């Protein structure tokens, strides 16, 4: 499955979550905290909201709970 | 006076805190009695919109005085008060409401409040997420937004008042009786317990008026000014039926705070799904895309409403040393500072900047005269 | 959208929820299970074949989370695209548990994750092969996670377990009464040959410029620093009781309070699995079966499993004792260490408050999108405060979903 992470094409295995695609793209900063600190996933199960990214222009999406889909556009650090 | 306080205030909401700050600035020695967190009552629920309202000349006078006190205080406010000088836009849906815009502008101009009429195109470019087809609006640029609990905490800290963490169980002009049985003697006692005030001063006409609110995640720039539908005036006027109105507020954090609803007769804090639904559907009518934002919390609060929609500020007719500072309905964040000033001026015997008569508890209908019969 | 009414609705497709649904469906009830996760299995059976054994005779609604309970017998559910109501006659809350995180300097750096957290992310495709990983915190989960990570090509540098060796030995001895568990433990250890398992050892800080580079550990009087790519760190589990609280169910000391039939204090609402207390897979399964039978009215079948449940509960009690958190962990956070990661609130600011409500109001601790699910467990451990009221939305939800929640449609 092909996705774009920050404009960069990534190939993610079927069944993987967006959180994995971000890592496969070499990114580890998923979001900035309210005071500007870099943050990445913590809980892996949809409760901490640290893995939030923008998917298809929609901000605040939990990347660990959303399966990758063909052609998805993901942005981190927004 | 065993404890030697000049003023004892029951209630550590924003009104009690502002009264404490006002009295302390007048050189008075103050004690505040509050069992819960400072600003944990209606102050924690309020939207924190600092707004000039023109229901009546007395309402304009108090909100305008208060707003100018907020503006003067702005340089000293700590960051966590989150003062945001975003202005208000009164949104007009149709030509009838545009007529109201122009009337309102006239009233504001006379009172010396800057206000600018926005055409439909002006409104659309100022707030791109409003739906198309609205008629225009009135921009009041000097209105603002704050985070009320931290403002209350700041006022109280600034006053240097002694804080007693207990409920008051009895108030009189001589002081406050606390739950542990002790008595705080004072020259003047102030009932600033908001919607709970009638429990300590029976007979005053203050009723609880419930409101629902919702806050979203951070979407900086989604809403720029506080947006209020003009139908708000109509629904806020209706003192009987339950009502909702579109009210969207930008927070300094980038969050959007959505209001509001008004209900009498519901004393339960729980969210009522039918009211929340009505309120949010109303918001979506004005801002369809708001439906896609992520909501993180909802809550309710109780406004302290009076029959004539003006607060009670000043001595009780039956006991001139017992003051009231309550009944601020949906404006107590704004009018806290004006209230603090009027209370302090009356206690200190100074001439207040605006006439106090419209807010005195002794005005017609506000407080029943001393009961003929105790029961 | 009008949703058919279910005799039994189960929230949570982990072992407890699947077992409950299976038993209720076998009893002839119309059953549905819903879960926030896109696949069934809950935490332990994430990306595993086991759920298949339990999936039959009922509807499974995935990628769907409960966000509100607008009326009795009705839940509002949100998916990525839609929102709808589901009606039920009996409800089983099998909402499981989450990890407890404790703040220490550096814990907010990217690549510091939960132990179960890193495992879940790896199961969802996060590449871990060749990565150097320190596993730390407390509980048997650390071993399971280390075994999984190693099995998938990670270099597990060490496992740091905060509890003392003596407590573990006592626990190990008690395993003799649970041969199944003992065998699992032995198998796990075998898979982890060569990986140091350090008891009485815990992380004191994590370092890195923009992401994790190393972790400093303490054991006895000794402090040292381990370079690593990931720190997988969790201090036990906390039951997910928020939905039960929103529905008005009584919460006890260990989780949702239930009677012999797994009934909560609210009529027609049951709860099973780790939402009622931390106890591991076997307990979750048997509790789920009991709840499923009881919710379908088959109380005799339910009671036939009480003895088995009792046995697993004893194991849970031993577990809790063995992995009790040590006091030193309370002093890990420095004054400037963030406790609330959503709103970036430091320990010092929280300590200056008199209780949860004041902390929320004056610092916004717990007021972000995680709604206190992360900082709540830490604040409870550090300050002894427990958060009160739960209101809709149970999880952040689209405004439009709440604008319809409970409406006739
Ligand atoms: C939904 C909603 C939206 C609002 N939006 C706005 C807005 O945008 N702008 C605006 O200006 N205003 C707004 N308001 C109004 C504003 O919040 C209130 O008018 C204001 O907070 C009142 O402050 P207070 O100090 O009088 O009352 P409170 O904040 O309620 O304080 C009263 C205090 O008294 C204490 N108390 C009670 N009983 C006792 C006792 N026996 N002894 C001692 N202490 C006691 C309570 O614990 C409490 O802390 C809104 C209100 C609501 C409900
Ligand atoms: C992160 C993590 C990893 C774990 N890994 C292991 C392991 O590797 N090995 C091991 O032995 N034990 C592990 N455990 C412990 C294991 O989860 C338990 O022993 C047992 O499986 C619990 O089963 P359960 O059915 O009670 O809950 P869970 O398996 O936790 O299932 C609960 C389910 O409810 C869903 N849910 C909760 N709230 C809602 C809602 N509002 N709406 C919709 N769905 C909801 C969740 O998404 C979840 O899928 C782990 C625990 C956690 C927290
Ligand atoms: S990692 Fe916690 S919500 Fe995704």
């Amino acid at each position: 499955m092909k996705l774009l992470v920050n404009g960069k094409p990534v190939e993610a295995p079927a069944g993987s979550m967006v959180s994995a695609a971000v890592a496969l793209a070499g990114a580890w900063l998923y979001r900035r905290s309210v005071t500007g600190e870099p943050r990445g996933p913590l809980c892996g199960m949809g409760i901490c909201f640290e893995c939030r990214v923008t998917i298809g222009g929609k901000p605040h999406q939990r990347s660990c709970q959303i399966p990758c889909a063909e052609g998805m556009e993901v942005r981190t650090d927004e | 006076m065993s404890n030697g306080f000049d003023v004892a205030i029951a209630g550590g909401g924003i009104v009690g805190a502002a009264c404490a700050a006002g009295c302390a600035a007048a050189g008075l020695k103050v004690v505040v009695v509050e069992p819960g967190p400072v600003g944990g009552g209606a102050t924690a629920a309020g939207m924190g919109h600092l707004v000039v309202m023109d229901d009546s000349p007395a309402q304009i006078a108090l909100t305008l005085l208060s707003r100018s006190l907020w503006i003067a205080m702005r340089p000293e406010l700590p960051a966590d008060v989150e003062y945001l000088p975003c202005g208000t836009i009164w949104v007009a849906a149709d030509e009838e409401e545009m007529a109201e815009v122009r009337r309102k502008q006239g009233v504001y101009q006379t009172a010396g409040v800057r206000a600018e009429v926005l055409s439909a195109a002006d409104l659309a470019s100022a707030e791109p997420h409003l739906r198309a087809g609205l008629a225009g609006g009135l921009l009041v640029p000097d209105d603002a937004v704050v985070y009320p609990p931290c403002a209350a905490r700041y006022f109280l800290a600034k006053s240097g008042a002694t804080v007693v963490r207990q409920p008051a169980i009895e108030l009189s002009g001589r002081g406050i009786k606390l739950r542990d049985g002790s008595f705080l003697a004072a020259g003047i006692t102030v009932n600033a317990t908001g919607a709970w005030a009638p429990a300590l001063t029976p007979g005053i006409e203050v009723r609880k008026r419930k409101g629902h609110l919702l806050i979203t995640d951070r979407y900086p720039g989604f809403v720029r000014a506080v947006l209020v539908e003009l139908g708000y005036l109509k629904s806020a006027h209706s003192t009987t039926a339950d009502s909702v109105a579109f009210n969207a507020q930008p927070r300094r954090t980038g969050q959007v705070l959505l209001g509001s609803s008004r209900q009498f007769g519901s004393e339960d804090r729980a969210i009522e799904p039918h009211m929340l639904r009505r309120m949010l559907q109303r918001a979506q009518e004005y801002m369809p895309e708001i439906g896609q934002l992520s909501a993180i919390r909802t809550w309710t609060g109780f406004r302290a409403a009076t029959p004539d929609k003006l607060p009670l500020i000043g001595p009780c007719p039956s006991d001139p040393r017992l003051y009231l500072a309550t009944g601020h309905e949906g404006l107590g964040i704004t009018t806290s500072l004006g209230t603090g000033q009027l209370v302090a001026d009356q206690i200190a015997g100074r001439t207040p900047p605006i006439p106090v008569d419209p807010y005195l508890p002794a005005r017609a209908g506000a407080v029943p005269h001393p009961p003929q019969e105790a029961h | 959208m009008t949703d058919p009414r279910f005799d039994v609705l189960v929230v949570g497709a982990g072992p407890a929820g699947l077992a409950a649904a299976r038993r209720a469906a076998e009893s002839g009830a119309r059953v549905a299970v819903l879960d926030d996760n896109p696949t069934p299995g809950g935490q332990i059976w994430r990306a595993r074949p086991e759920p298949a054994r339990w999936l039959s005779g009922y509807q499974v609604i995935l990628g769907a989370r409960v966000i509100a309970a607008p009326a009795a017998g009705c839940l509002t559910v949100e998916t990525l695209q839609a929102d709808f109501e589901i009606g039920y006659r009996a409800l089983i809350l099998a909402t499981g548990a989450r990890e407890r995180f404790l703040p220490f300097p550096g814990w907010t750096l990217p690549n510091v994750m939960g132990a179960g957290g890193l495992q879940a992310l790896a199961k969802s495709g996060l590449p871990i092969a060749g990565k150097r990983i320190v596993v730390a915190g407390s509980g048997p989960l650390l071993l399971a996670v280390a075994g999984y990570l190693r099995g998938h090509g990670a270099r597990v540098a060490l496992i740091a377990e905060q509890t003392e060796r003596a407590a573990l030995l006592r626990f190990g001895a008690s395993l003799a009464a649970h041969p199944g568990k003992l065998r699992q433990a032995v198998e796990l250890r075998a898979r982890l040959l060569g990986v140091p398992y350090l008891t009485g050892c815990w992380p004191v800080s994590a370092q890195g410029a923009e992401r994790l580079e190393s972790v400093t550990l303490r054991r006895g009087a000794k402090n040292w620093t381990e370079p690593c790519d990931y720190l997988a760190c969790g201090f036990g589990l906390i039951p997910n009781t928020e939905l039960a609280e929103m529905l008005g169910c009584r919460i006890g000391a260990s989780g949702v309070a239930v009677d012999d039939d797994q009934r909560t204090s609210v009529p027609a609402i049951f709860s099973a699995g780790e939402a009622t207390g931390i106890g591991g897979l076997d307990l979750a399964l048997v509790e789920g079966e009991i709840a499923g039978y009881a919710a379908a009215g088959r109380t005799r079948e339910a009671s036939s499993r009480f003895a088995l449940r009792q046995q697993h509960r004893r194991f849970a009690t031993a577990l809790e004792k063995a992995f009790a958190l040590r006091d030193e962990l309370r002093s890990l956070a420095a004054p400037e260490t963030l406790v609330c990661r959503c709103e970036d609130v430091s320990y010092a600011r929280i300590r200056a408050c008199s209780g949860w409500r004041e902390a929320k109001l004056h610092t916004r601790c717990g007021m972000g999108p995680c709604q206190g699910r992360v900082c709540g467990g830490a604040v409870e451990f550090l300050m002894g405060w427990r958060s009160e009221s739960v209101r809709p939305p149970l999880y952040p939800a689209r405004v439009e979903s709440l604008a319809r929640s409970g409406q006739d449609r």
Side-chain angles (χ1 to χ4, degrees):
Chain A
M1 227 167 328
K2 288 196 182 63
L3 295 84
L4 283 178
V5 176
N6 300 328
K8 182 173 163 186
V10 211
E11 185 82 42
S16 56
M17 299 293 152
V18 173
S19 50
V22 171
L24 286 165
W28 37 266
L29 187 166
Y30 288 59
R31 70 172 198 110
R32 292 255 173 209
S33 77
V34 302
T35 61
E37 286 191 2
R39 293 287 167 79
L42 174 70
C43 73
M45 58 184 278
I47 61 145
C48 75
F49 286 73
E50 287 286 26
C51 66
R52 279 175 291 161
V53 298
T54 299
I55 301 179
K58 227 174 140 193
H60 304 306
Q61 304 300 303
R62 294 170 306 160
S63 61
C64 73
Q65 292 296 95
I66 300 182
C68 292
E70 191 65 40
M72 216 175 217
E73 283 188 37
V74 181
R75 303 206 70 87
T76 64
D77 192 13
E78 293 209 313
Chain B
M1 249 184 270
S2 55
N3 306 80
F5 290 109
D6 297 317
V7 183
I9 301 174
I14 197 164
V15 170
C19 289
C23 290
L28 300 166
K29 197 166 166 223
V30 184
V31 60
V32 172
V33 175
E34 168 62 63
V38 172
T43 301
M47 293 183 80
H49 185 196
L50 307 180
V51 56
V52 178
M53 291 278 278
D54 64 338
D55 256 11
S56 62
Q59 196 186 53
I60 300 191
L62 184 60
T63 51
L64 182 55
L65 165 68
S66 300
R67 195 185 70 175
S68 58
L69 293 170
W70 276 104
I71 292 172
M73 197 183 255
R74 192 180 158 193
E76 66 179 84
L77 291 175
D80 64 6
V81 175
E82 296 179 355
Y83 187 98
L84 181 71
C86 56
T88 305
I89 298 178
W90 298 90
V91 179
D94 52 28
E95 278 315 308
E96 191 191 337
E97 290 181 5
M98 273 313 274
E100 173 63 14
V101 160
R102 285 181 281 271
R103 186 203 64 79
K104 211 172 162 65
Q105 189 201 26
V107 174
Y108 280 165
Q109 226 148 33
T110 315
V113 177
R114 287 205 295 155
E116 183 189 324
V117 175
L118 304 181
S119 68
D122 295 339
L123 180 65
S125 73
E127 298 288 344
H129 295 289
L130 280 171
R131 76 167 160 85
L134 293 166
L138 185 69
L139 169 67
V140 183
D142 300 322
D143 286 352
V145 160
V146 291
Y147 179 62
C150 288
R153 183 179 60 173
Y154 173 65
F155 295 165
L156 195 56
K158 181 176 163 169
S159 77
T162 305
V163 179
V164 175
R165 297 226 163 252
Q166 270 197 65
I169 56 165
E170 217 175 280
L171 297 190
S172 75
R174 290 173 297 111
I176 299 180
K177 189 170 163 194
L178 300 172
R179 188 171 54 192
D180 70 3
S182 60
F183 187 76
L184 285 172
I188 297 284
T189 305
V190 181
N191 183 350
T193 56
W196 294 275
L200 292 170
T201 311
I204 56 174
E205 289 233 35
V206 171
R207 289 211 291 152
K208 287 187 176 158
R209 207 171 185 197
K210 184 171 175 177
H212 285 73
L213 294 173
L214 175 149
I215 197 156
T216 70
D217 209 330
R218 288 161 156 84
Y219 299 91
F222 188 88
V223 173
R224 296 169 186 171
V226 178
L227 304 178
V228 192
E229 67 164 290
L230 268 173
Y232 182 87
L233 295 170
K234 299 167 200 159
S235 50
H237 272 218
S238 139
T239 46
T240 48
D242 294 351
S243 64
V244 297
F246 166 60
N247 186 331
Q249 187 184 88
R251 308 291 314 175
R252 175 133 253 167
T253 55
Q255 292 171 284
V256 180
L257 180 53
L258 275 183
S260 61
S261 68
R262 283 184 148 78
Q263 276 171 288
F264 278 122
S266 173
E267 302 250 319
D268 181 0
R269 310 203 71 85
I271 297 286
E272 291 168 64
H274 73 284
M275 287 308 288
L276 186 65
R277 263 190 328 259
R278 274 180 65 188
M279 178 180 105
L280 298 179
Q281 286 170 2
R282 189 76 181 153
Q284 283 181 284
E285 285 168 24
Y286 280 84
M287 283 196 137
E289 290 159 53
I290 212 148
Q292 291 303 314
L293 304 195
S294 175
I296 59 180
R297 287 172 10 96
T298 58
W299 65 93
T300 63
F302 295 99
R303 308 173 182 89
T306 61
D308 63 3
K309 290 180 249 119
L310 288 173
L312 302 169
I313 307 171
C316 281
S318 57
D319 185 347
R321 288 169 57 192
L322 174 60
Y323 274 54
L324 299 180
T326 177
H328 294 78
E329 221 273 350
L331 284 171
I333 308 303
T334 308
T335 54
S336 58
L337 286 179
T339 302
Q341 165 118 41
L342 296 188
V343 164
D345 286 347
Q346 290 181 73
I347 294 175
R350 298 181 307 209
T351 308
I354 57 171
V356 296
D357 313 69
Y359 323 108
L360 290 178
R363 71 182 183 262
V367 179
H369 285 282
Q372 288 84 18
E373 227 175 75
H375 82 152
Chain C
M1 178 166 182
T2 46
D3 202 270
R5 207 184 155 86
F6 291 100
D7 297 323
V8 178
L9 179 65
V10 183
V11 182
L18 296 178
R22 175 73 189 263
R23 295 301 174 231
E26 278 171 10
S27 313
R30 239 177 99 79
V31 181
V33 179
L34 50 94
D35 198 300
D36 183 28
N37 284 341
T39 51
Q43 301 310 334
I44 179 168
W45 290 343
R46 188 184 287 272
R48 304 254 332 154
E50 288 87 344
R53 252 192 70 207
W54 295 91
L55 287 170
S56 89
Y58 54 90
Q59 193 175 330
V60 186
I61 306 167
L62 296 169
R65 48 183 166 165
V66 177
I67 58 163
C74 170
L75 296 178
T76 302
V77 176
E78 187 179 270
T79 66
L80 268 184
Q81 281 85 27
D83 54 278
F84 47 90
E85 263 78 56
I86 297 190
Y88 60 85
R89 270 188 255 278
L91 180 66
I92 300 178
L93 307 174
T95 49
R98 57 178 179 263
E99 283 183 276
R100 187 192 296 273
F101 299 108
L102 295 181
F104 51 85
W107 79 298
T108 55
L109 282 169
N111 296 349
V112 177
M113 296 173 180
L118 178 56
Q119 175 182 247
L121 288 154
K123 286 181 173 183
S124 314
L126 188 89
I128 48 164
K131 303 284 187 201
R132 191 164 201 273
I133 302 177
V134 170
V135 177
S138 195
L141 180 59
L142 301 187
L143 287 166
V145 167
Y148 176 86
L149 297 172
R150 196 176 200 214
H152 288 76
R155 291 181 292 143
V156 177
L158 60 92
I159 303 167
E161 166 58 63
Q162 58 91 35
T163 210
E164 290 297 339
R165 202 177 143 76
L168 274 189
L169 287 177
R170 276 195 302 274
F171 176 64
S174 79
L175 279 186
H178 307 269
K181 309 264 184 207
L182 191 59
R183 196 179 58 242
Q184 279 168 23
V186 170
E187 280 168 12
L188 253 179
R189 260 333 263 149
R191 249 197 285 161
L192 287 167
L193 270 185
V195 176
Y197 183 64
L198 306 180
T199 51
C201 177
W202 62 91
V204 292
S205 65
Q207 293 80 226
E210 283 265 282
R211 66 173 138 164
L212 177 73
E213 289 161 18
S214 64
V215 54
T216 301
L217 297 150
R218 172 171 309 156
R219 191 180 198 209
K222 185 176 154 210
N223 274 16
W224 78 103
T225 298
E226 288 283 342
C228 56
D229 299 307
Y230 290 110
L231 170 60
C233 183
F235 293 89
L237 303 179
I238 322 177
N240 290 322
T241 58
E242 288 76 8
L243 177 54
E245 282 172 67
M246 193 165 81
L247 291 162
C249 304
R250 199 170 68 74
I251 308 300
S254 59
V256 182
V258 288
D259 71 4
D260 280 349
D261 285 337
Q262 302 290 137
R263 248 177 258 277
T264 69
S265 62
V266 176
I269 302 185
F270 299 74
S271 185
E274 295 207 311
T276 66
I278 304 310
L281 172 64
D282 298 326
L283 183 58
L285 281 171
V286 68
E287 287 187 355
E289 293 190 285
I290 293 171
Y293 281 130
R298 290 174 63 187
T299 42
R300 245 170 36 127
E301 281 80 354
S303 55
S304 71
R305 282 168 169 73
F306 288 176
L308 182 59
R309 178 180 58 195
Q310 194 46 39
Q311 190 186 325
H312 292 311
R313 278 194 180 149
R314 275 195 294 272
F315 172 73
T317 310
L319 198 79
E320 190 185 326
K321 260 225 215 86
F323 294 98
L325 296 184
R326 61 195 310 135
D327 273 340
E328 287 96 323
L329 300 175
R330 281 179 232 275
S331 46
L332 286 186
E336 66 281 3
T337 305
L338 298 183
V339 174
C340 170
R341 304 168 59 122
C342 293
E343 297 288 337
D344 284 3
V345 185
S346 68
Y347 185 36
R349 290 181 63 205
I350 292 166
R351 248 188 344 200
C353 297
S354 63
W356 241 129
R357 227 176 95 71
E358 184 172 318
K360 285 186 176 181
L361 290 175
H362 291 174
T363 72
R364 256 212 267 290
C365 179
M367 303 270 264
C370 95
Q371 299 169 318
R373 285 182 173 87
V374 173
C375 61
V379 166
E380 188 186 356
F381 179 70
L382 294 172
M383 309 294 304
W385 304 338
R386 268 196 71 104
S387 187
E388 358 74 68
S389 72
V390 180
R391 290 182 299 261
L394 188 62
Y395 283 96
R398 288 184 296 276
V399 169
E400 64 177 13
S401 307
L402 293 171
R404 287 190 284 250
S405 169
Q407 160 181 294
D408 290 330
R409 43 179 152 167

